[in-house]
Amino acid sequence: MSAAKPTQTLPSTAICTLQGSLLTLAIVTLLSFTFLSLKSLNSPSLSSITPPPATFFSPQAHVVQKDELNQAEEKEEEEEEVADEVSSVVFHSSEVFRLNYVEMERKFKVYIYRDGDPKTYYQTPRKLTGKYASEGYFFQNIRESRFVTDDPDQADLFFIPISCHKMRGKATSYENMTVIVKDYIESLIVKYPYWNRTLGADHFFVVCQDVGVRATEGLPFLVKNSIRVVCSPSYDVGFIPHKDVALPQVLQPFALPRGGNDVENRTILGYWAGSRNSKIRVILAREWMNDTELYIKDSRISRAIGELVYQKKFYRSKFCICPGGSQVNSARIADSIHYGCIPVILSDYYDLPFNDILNWKKFSVILKQKDVYELKQILKNITQAEFVSLHNNLVKIQKHFQWNSPPIKYDAFHMVMYELWLRHHLIKY
């Protein structure tokens, strides 16, 4: 057997040298990583110096992003503008109104049918005065607005330009009106595909008198399906609130300027003067025409007393009584708003204009017809502070009950268009 070789051991000096080298290498490595880490903190990130992939593959991508940014900024500016001009107090939800109004102005499109003879198609407004002026203003305003489109495929709603006001001005009988409207609508249904897509649910027409009810009697599906924009929005004559729109009846031009911020001049508790053409007006006159605190007359004030005495009484009155006439509506409501007199609504089954947008309780007094017997006490129970609040809020909504030509933001035309904009979401082809 051979003897095993003895194990060789490294000298102690060699071991120390090796350990020192490893330690030195570790220190150098640590210092290097530390240096690189500190440098990276003061250097731009990789993403900031590397162009995004879109730069290489789509030269227009950056432009699109900038356009979208600009549109977002413009929309934000528009929303801020609406917020500045809209009083939150008088709206059910000013935030909802603000957002929807901006969208409406940017996107809403209406197609106007151009067919029909002059007896049916409203070529030009018959007139912009009188108690049916709202109809004429709407026809003129929509043509002056940004909402009209010549492309029916881009339209959100379709406007059927039936003008009962114009037909009435031509001494057309009720029977002939019914025939004219029926023939006209049926011709549109045959000629175009748009009615049949929704059975007319995305169509609307505008009438500011009870004649419109008679003129459309020959077409039950028109009344049932289409959006009716009417001045007589009574629940007991087939008005459907979630579908139809209450058109404010505004008697323009106003004889005198707007009232407002003048509570100290209003010393008459309540005011009404008019004809007895409804049951509620008969009761109103009978009960209160001899009262010393309520100025109630059963006829319009005679011009012999003085010029514009009827209108000037609005400036001196705290509350203006607005009883329904032959219909639930009354032009006196818009008169009261214009002259700064708190309207006292005295009508049953009345869907007030812009009722789902404006909180009428903030600027008016709403009563049932049976409350006429307690009218004076109801008004006297309203404190001075409550009256001032109602009056200040009334001034804020005056612009919503004013027609202009051309139309301007937030006026009666734009409020009606806003109502239509809300309803166009109900059904969309």
Side-chain angles (χ1 to χ4, degrees):
M1 287 181 67
S2 61
K5 293 182 181 180
T7 305
Q8 296 180 353
T9 57
L10 294 174
S12 59
T13 54
I15 295 174
C16 293
T17 303
L18 178 61
Q19 290 177 341
S21 300
L22 292 173
L23 179 63
T24 302
L25 179 62
I27 293 173
V28 171
T29 302
L30 178 63
L31 290 175
S32 299
F33 276 110
T34 303
F35 173 77
L36 291 173
S37 299
L38 291 174
K39 184 177 181 181
S40 65
L41 290 176
N42 297 318
S43 302
S45 63
L46 183 62
S47 61
S48 66
I49 60 174
T50 303
T55 304
F56 300 106
F57 300 106
S58 177
Q60 297 180 350
H62 187 57
V63 176
V64 171
Q65 292 172 2
K66 289 182 64 177
D67 288 343
E68 291 175 351
L69 180 61
N70 291 336
Q71 290 176 3
E73 292 175 348
E74 290 174 2
K75 183 176 179 180
E76 184 176 351
E77 291 175 358
E78 290 174 355
E79 291 177 357
E80 291 176 353
E81 181 183 347
V82 173
D84 291 340
E85 298 188 40
V86 170
S87 172
S88 60
V89 178
V90 296
F91 285 82
H92 291 300
S93 174
S94 60
E95 180 70 9
V96 171
F97 177 79
R98 178 176 67 84
L99 295 175
N100 274 300
Y101 190 93
V102 171
E103 287 297 299
M104 175 196 74
E105 287 208 313
R106 293 172 63 88
K107 297 181 178 179
F108 196 23
K109 294 300 177 185
V110 172
Y111 179 79
I112 304 176
Y113 286 108
R114 289 169 172 76
D115 307 74
D117 58 41
K119 293 180 181 178
T120 302
Y121 178 57
Y122 206 125
Q123 304 287 355
T124 56
R126 178 185 167 208
K127 60 179 181 178
L128 300 179
T129 58
K131 60 182 180 180
Y132 302 131
S134 292
E135 183 180 310
Y137 267 106
F138 184 88
F139 276 92
Q140 178 162 308
N141 282 175
I142 195 168
R143 288 181 171 80
E144 298 171 324
S145 73
R146 68 173 73 179
F147 301 112
V148 176
T149 178
D150 293 326
D151 184 358
D153 292 325
Q154 298 298 319
D156 298 296
L157 290 180
F158 294 80
F159 179 35
I160 306 173
I162 302 169
S163 177
C164 298
H165 186 33
K166 187 169 185 177
M167 285 188 278
R168 187 182 184 189
K170 291 179 175 292
T172 308
S173 67
Y174 293 133
E175 293 75 15
N176 287 339
M177 280 187 189
T178 302
V179 173
I180 291 172
V181 172
K182 183 175 183 295
D183 291 344
Y184 177 57
I185 299 299
E186 289 179 346
S187 71
L188 297 181
I189 294 174
V190 172
K191 184 176 180 179
Y192 297 95
Y194 310 113
W195 175 282
N196 294 319
R197 298 186 309 188
T198 63
L199 295 180
D202 55 358
H203 287 55
F204 73 95
F205 62 97
V206 177
V207 289
C208 192
Q209 51 187 303
D210 55 347
V211 175
V213 176
R214 296 189 182 186
T216 56
E217 285 178 346
L219 291 167
F221 59 82
L222 175 66
V223 176
K224 179 182 179 181
N225 296 349
S226 298
I227 302 170
R228 293 188 298 164
V229 184
V230 295
C231 282
S232 301
S234 177
Y235 298 132
D236 60 353
V237 294
F239 182 82
I240 305 174
H242 72 272
K243 174 179 74 71
D244 299 331
V245 175
L247 183 69
Q249 187 174 15
V250 184
L251 188 64
Q252 288 191 209
F254 294 107
L256 295 171
R258 286 183 185 178
N261 303 317
D262 52 4
V263 293
E264 66 280 356
N265 299 328
R266 299 181 180 274
T267 56
I268 301 173
L269 178 62
Y271 168 52
W272 176 78
S275 59
R276 299 191 186 194
N277 61 346
S278 67
K279 181 179 179 181
I280 185 61
R281 292 187 177 191
V282 171
I283 299 173
L284 176 65
R286 185 184 67 210
E287 291 291 318
W288 301 109
M289 67 182 300
N290 295 318
D291 192 88
T292 56
E293 294 182 86
L294 297 175
Y295 190 95
I296 306 296
K297 299 294 180 183
D298 64 346
S299 61
R300 293 294 291 264
I301 301 174
S302 173
R303 290 181 180 271
I305 300 176
E307 186 179 7
L308 300 176
V309 174
Y310 172 77
Q311 289 83 357
K312 290 176 181 177
K313 285 290 184 186
F314 282 95
Y315 288 132
R316 297 182 53 202
S317 303
K318 295 174 108 178
F319 300 96
C320 288
I321 319 304
C322 304
S326 56
Q327 301 293 323
V328 295
N329 58 297
S330 171
R332 190 173 280 99
I333 296 176
D335 286 343
S336 302
I337 292 173
H338 175 79
Y339 293 115
C341 183
I342 308 302
V344 179
I345 314 299
L346 201 57
S347 296
D348 294 341
Y349 314 114
Y350 187 11
D351 192 77
L352 292 160
F354 319 136
N355 194 32
D356 51 351
I357 307 171
L358 300 175
N359 186 350
W360 278 76
K361 293 181 180 180
K362 296 294 185 179
F363 56 87
S364 71
V365 178
I366 303 174
L367 304 176
K368 295 293 186 181
Q369 291 188 5
K370 63 182 179 61
D371 295 327
V372 65
Y373 301 101
E374 307 296 329
L375 178 62
K376 180 178 176 179
Q377 193 57 47
I378 290 173
L379 298 182
K380 287 179 72 70
N381 288 342
I382 298 174
T383 67
Q384 180 66 14
E386 291 171 336
F387 162 68
V388 171
S389 177
L390 288 170
H391 178 79
N392 292 338
N393 290 338
L394 186 72
V395 173
K396 295 173 183 176
I397 58 95
Q398 286 175 326
K399 58 189 174 186
H400 303 313
F401 292 84
Q402 172 77 44
W403 293 98
N404 301 284
S405 185
I408 62 176
K409 277 191 173 185
Y410 319 116
D411 65 0
F413 170 73
H414 281 88
M415 293 295 282
V416 172
M417 294 302 293
Y418 180 82
E419 290 276 24
L420 291 169
W421 166 253
L422 295 181
R423 282 154 179 77
H424 101 274
H425 291 289
L426 294 178
I427 186 167
K428 183 70 175 176
Y429 178 76

